[in-house]
């Protein structure tokens, strides 16, 4: 209850989760564009939670953090097997969420948000995650900014959170 992130911490400290983080890091060792590492995941978690609080919404902190730490966890499978990473992350998250203690409703919410994180949609939580994912990118401090194919109006030259 309340503010603790007990279930999220269980995932973060699990052997499987650590293995996938390592695989993402290995696949992106030479990547000059945005990485899909634990820093990105925590940026998304914190931004999404701030947005939710600012809007006076009632999403569980732990559900938001769970989505954020899992949304790109299968990125390595996109590199290795060409599976779109929202699908890969959805599959890996199903397993990682098992027996962590989320209710069935929360689990479904988390999994749906992972699966739809690459497109902005009608759903409020989906939209918060989508925005946070984009806002987390630090284009103003990026060495590869000029080469990046994000449109100029999408790039973050100012911080919002
Ligand atoms: Fe992603
Ligand atoms: Fe992401």
């Amino acid at each position: 209850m309340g503010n603790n992130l007990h279930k999220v911490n269980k995932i973060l400290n699990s052997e499987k989760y650590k293995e996938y983080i390592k695989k993402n890091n290995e696949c992106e060792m030479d990547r000059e564009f945005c990485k899909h590492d634990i820093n990105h995941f925590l940026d998304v978690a914190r931004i999404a939670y701030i947005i939710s609080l600012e809007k006076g919404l009632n999403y569980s902190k732990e559900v938001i953090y769970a989505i954020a730490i899992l949304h790109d966890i299968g990125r390595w499978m996109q590199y290795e097997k060409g599976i779109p990473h929202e699908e890969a992350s959805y599959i890996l998250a199903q397993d990682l969420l098992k027996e962590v203690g989320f209710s069935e409703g929360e689990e479904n919410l988390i999994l749906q948000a992972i699966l739809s994180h690459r497109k902005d949609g009608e759903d409020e939580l989906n939209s918060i995650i989508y925005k946070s994912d984009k806002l987390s990118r630090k284009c103003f401090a990026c060495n590869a900014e000029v080469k990046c194919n994000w449109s100029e109006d999408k790039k973050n030259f100012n911080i919002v959170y």
Side-chain angles (χ1 to χ4, degrees):
M1 195 359 282
N3 264 332
N4 90 60
L5 291 171
H6 179 68
K7 303 180 199 74
V8 161
N9 282 308
K10 252 197 204 169
I11 298 172
L12 288 176
N13 285 286
S14 72
E15 287 314 310
K16 274 183 201 158
Y17 187 79
K18 289 187 205 178
E19 184 195 321
Y20 302 149
I21 288 282
K22 206 172 138 200
K23 282 177 182 273
N24 273 4
N25 291 341
E26 282 166 2
C27 288
E28 294 191 332
M29 208 129 69
D30 299 319
R31 183 179 164 89
E32 44 181 352
F33 300 109
C34 290
K35 304 210 182 208
H36 301 81
D37 58 9
I38 191 68
N39 292 320
H40 171 57
F41 298 175
L42 293 181
D43 284 340
V44 173
R46 290 168 179 148
I47 292 170
Y49 191 53
I50 293 170
I51 293 176
S52 171
L53 290 176
E54 274 187 356
K55 288 180 180 261
L57 301 171
N58 221 0
Y59 292 111
S60 142
K61 180 174 165 185
E62 194 150 45
V63 165
I64 287 180
Y65 272 64
I67 297 165
I69 66 156
L70 294 170
H71 80 284
D72 287 331
I73 197 63
R75 182 72 202 211
W76 61 275
M77 289 172 79
Q78 186 168 326
Y79 295 117
E80 283 186 8
K81 302 174 192 176
I83 304 170
H85 76 266
E86 69 277 25
E87 288 170 31
S89 301
Y90 173 87
I91 292 164
L92 298 182
Q94 276 182 316
D95 185 43
L96 288 165
L97 284 164
K98 242 181 240 160
E99 288 161 42
V100 168
F102 282 107
S103 70
E104 206 185 312
E106 288 172 326
E107 229 176 89
N108 288 334
L109 209 58
I110 294 165
L111 289 169
Q112 276 320 308
I114 293 168
L115 198 55
S116 55
H117 85 263
R118 290 176 86 183
K119 31 182 203 307
D120 202 359
E122 305 275 283
D123 182 79
E124 188 176 52
L125 181 58
N126 170 214
S127 182
I128 291 173
I129 297 295
Y130 178 84
K131 269 199 204 92
S132 306
D133 200 13
K134 303 288 173 239
L135 285 171
S136 71
R137 296 317 198 171
K138 304 165 182 81
C139 310
F140 55 86
C142 177
N143 289 332
E145 186 266 309
V146 182
K147 281 186 261 176
C148 171
N149 65 8
W150 271 23
S151 62
E152 287 303 298
D153 61 306
K154 221 167 135 198
K155 286 178 183 168
N156 300 309
F157 296 112
N158 300 290
I159 61 164
V160 187
Y161 295 101

